[in-house]
Amino acid sequence: VPGFDPSLSMMTGITPINPMIPGMGLVPPPPPTDVPVVKEIIHCKSCTLYLPPPSTRERPPGCKTVFVGGLPENATEEIIQEVFEQCGDITAIRKSKKNFCHIRFAEEFMVDKAIYLSGYRMRLGSSTDKKDSGRLHVDFAQARDDFYEWECKQRMLAREERHRRKMEEDRLRPPSPPAIMHYSEHEAALLAEKLKDDSKFSEAITVLLTWIERGEVNRRSANQFYSMVQSANSHVRRLMNEKAAHEQEMEQAKESFKNALTGILTQFEQIVAVFNASTRQKAWDHFSKAQRKNIDIWRKHSEELRNAHSEQLMGIRREEEMEMSDDDSGDNPSKKLRVDDSALAAQAYALKEENDSLRWQLDAYRNEVELLKQEKGQLFRTEESLTKDQQLQFLQQTMQGMQQVLLR
């Protein structure tokens, strides 16, 4: 109390406060009488007071029965049922003449609730007689009925698992082909209609093959089988038309690819021309050293890509020429003419290769001559320029001669 002087206790007759009195100091106040006492762990400075867990055996599989010991001698079966029916539905109580019994519940989880009651003291009414009190000890009981039911349940679960796996395997297994029906005139008439339908032709031709292999063809059914074979033969024309359509689509795709590749190659040529113009002295002197280095790298990279695309396009044209030469040789029945055509095609291809190489050399010489003219800045021709012009004229004449040979 604020302002209270403990020395006044002697004069006023007030007894001093004891810290161990309930409601004061360290000891908590006692709980009300109508609330059940739950013993908790008590922690002290140098020790700990705790309740050991009830000693129970290992739980048997499928246990639904508990052993209850320490019952009062005067406890009846009705009193036991009244206490333990709070844990769940009781199916049987087997009480012994001594102070124990066995209780069987309907479900397994009810046993855990009954185990919780182990350690409680039981008193009948308000009697203090020794025969009317006892300390309960609840433990798992190993009953044959529980074990048998658990085994039956496990076998049932195993059967369900096998059935589930079998259903899963059947679901994932590829479907079996349908059984081929036996030959009859009615089935043969239906099959003849299916052979005329493009969507059902594959299925129908399989049935026809099976019938022929079974030996269904005889004098009586020969005409009918002949008509079905004739229908299968008419299907060849549709297949050839379909193949021709696919080949035409492939040719169109090749042509579009060749045109796109030609456009790409043209753009590469323009880019390389830009780089070549940038490397000439008029523009080259105005770039810094780092810029010249980058331009040189870009020019080399573009030339490599240009050459690669050019080779790819030349390969496509070469294949087309070879196909055309093959077609021409296939149309000619004479073997000697085929050999001559193939030799001429090879010679034309060699001349074309040589013409391309000469053309590239001519472009290189032209670029070199222009660079030399710009570097020297001389109006008169020197001996070197004359030799270059002579080489250019010679190369031009050679190229013209090659073009005339190709035209022939």
Side-chain angles (χ1 to χ4, degrees):
V1 179
F4 177 74
D5 189 3
S7 62
L8 297 177
S9 61
M10 299 298 294
M11 296 181 291
T12 57
I14 300 175
T15 57
I17 298 175
N18 187 0
M20 300 301 291
I21 295 177
M24 294 287 186
L26 302 177
V27 179
T33 56
D34 55 345
V35 178
V37 179
V38 178
K39 294 183 179 181
E40 298 179 353
I41 298 176
I42 300 174
H43 297 280
C44 301
K45 290 183 179 180
S46 57
C47 63
T48 303
L49 304 179
Y50 65 94
L51 291 172
S55 59
T56 57
R57 71 176 74 183
E58 186 179 357
R59 178 170 183 166
C63 179
K64 297 181 182 179
T65 307
V66 294
F67 165 81
V68 182
L71 292 171
E73 294 184 10
N74 295 333
T76 61
E77 188 172 333
E78 290 77 10
I79 295 174
I80 297 171
Q81 184 168 3
E82 180 184 354
V83 172
F84 284 93
E85 69 181 357
Q86 302 175 15
C87 303
D89 296 335
I90 297 174
T91 58
I93 298 177
R94 295 190 296 272
K95 187 176 182 303
S96 175
K97 293 181 180 180
K98 296 184 179 181
N99 303 337
F100 70 90
C101 69
H102 289 85
I103 303 175
R104 192 181 187 205
F105 293 94
E107 300 293 338
E108 294 183 17
F109 69 90
M110 301 175 183
V111 175
D112 299 328
K113 296 182 179 181
I115 293 295
Y116 180 75
L117 299 177
S118 181
Y120 277 85
R121 287 195 173 274
M122 183 177 181
R123 185 175 63 216
L124 304 180
S126 58
S127 175
T128 58
D129 192 0
K130 187 177 180 180
K131 296 183 178 181
D132 294 335
S133 64
R135 185 174 180 176
L136 299 180
H137 173 68
V138 185
D139 196 357
F140 300 110
Q142 192 167 4
R144 288 192 298 269
D145 296 341
D146 296 343
F147 188 70
Y148 177 72
E149 288 184 1
W150 179 79
E151 281 187 337
C152 293
K153 187 176 180 180
Q154 294 299 317
R155 285 194 292 268
M156 182 185 68
L157 293 175
R159 286 195 299 270
E160 291 179 355
E161 180 66 17
R162 287 195 299 270
H163 178 68
R164 186 191 65 79
R165 289 184 181 179
K166 187 175 182 301
M167 294 293 291
E168 188 70 15
E169 291 175 359
D170 293 342
R171 187 179 68 83
L172 297 176
R173 186 184 296 116
S176 301
I180 304 298
M181 73 288 292
H182 291 282
Y183 169 78
S184 63
E185 293 183 357
H186 175 69
E187 294 292 340
L190 295 177
L191 187 64
E193 295 297 328
K194 288 182 179 180
L195 287 171
K196 298 176 183 178
D197 190 357
D198 295 338
S199 60
K200 300 179 181 179
F201 178 79
S202 299
E203 179 185 356
I205 200 68
T206 305
V207 177
L208 178 61
L209 177 62
T210 305
W211 283 353
I212 295 174
E213 290 179 349
R214 283 179 183 174
E216 301 288 349
V217 182
N218 49 32
R219 286 187 177 182
R220 184 177 179 182
S221 62
N223 295 329
Q224 202 163 12
F225 272 99
Y226 177 77
S227 62
M228 289 189 288
V229 172
Q230 188 177 8
S231 299
N233 182 46
S234 63
H235 196 76
V236 175
R237 189 182 304 107
R238 188 192 69 84
L239 294 177
M240 294 303 296
N241 294 334
E242 187 176 353
K243 179 187 175 184
H246 288 306
E247 287 179 351
Q248 186 177 2
E249 292 178 0
M250 185 175 66
E251 292 296 332
Q252 292 176 358
K254 283 184 178 180
E255 188 67 25
S256 61
F257 175 70
K258 187 178 71 174
N259 295 334
L261 196 59
T262 305
I264 293 172
L265 186 60
T266 304
Q267 294 181 10
F268 269 121
E269 292 285 354
Q270 295 173 354
I271 294 170
V272 171
V274 169
F275 285 128
N276 290 331
S278 300
T279 55
R280 292 170 187 168
Q281 190 173 5
K282 290 181 180 179
W284 189 254
D285 293 339
H286 299 285
F287 293 119
S288 64
K289 188 175 181 181
Q291 291 174 348
R292 291 177 184 178
K293 184 177 180 181
N294 291 334
I295 291 173
D296 194 18
I297 293 172
W298 295 338
R299 180 181 60 81
K300 291 179 180 178
H301 184 61
S302 300
E303 287 179 354
E304 290 177 359
L305 293 176
R306 189 267 314 273
N307 296 334
H309 283 77
S310 178
E311 290 178 1
Q312 188 176 4
L313 185 61
M314 291 297 294
I316 294 174
R317 290 175 179 173
R318 193 181 308 131
E319 290 178 358
E320 291 179 353
E321 290 175 359
M322 291 177 67
E323 289 178 359
M324 291 176 63
S325 63
D326 291 341
D327 295 339
D328 295 339
S329 63
D331 294 336
N332 194 350
S334 176
K335 186 175 181 181
K336 184 176 179 181
L337 288 176
R338 282 186 214 154
V339 175
D340 294 340
D341 290 340
S342 61
L344 289 173
Q347 187 178 3
Y349 174 69
L351 291 173
K352 191 174 183 181
E353 289 283 341
E354 190 174 358
N355 186 17
D356 292 335
S357 63
L358 291 173
R359 183 165 57 86
W360 290 117
Q361 290 179 10
L362 180 60
D363 292 338
Y365 281 126
R366 281 177 180 172
N367 293 332
E368 191 175 353
V369 168
E370 289 178 2
L371 289 175
L372 290 173
K373 284 180 181 180
Q374 291 175 2
E375 286 177 359
K376 291 181 180 180
Q378 296 177 356
L379 298 175
F380 58 92
R381 293 185 177 183
T382 59
E383 295 179 358
E384 189 176 358
S385 62
L386 289 173
T387 56
K388 294 291 181 181
D389 291 338
Q390 291 175 1
Q391 290 179 358
L392 287 175
Q393 291 176 2
F394 176 72
L395 290 172
Q396 287 177 356
Q397 292 175 2
T398 306
M399 187 173 66
Q400 289 176 1
M402 294 295 177
Q403 288 178 354
Q404 289 178 2
V405 172
L406 287 175
L407 289 174
R408 289 173 187 171

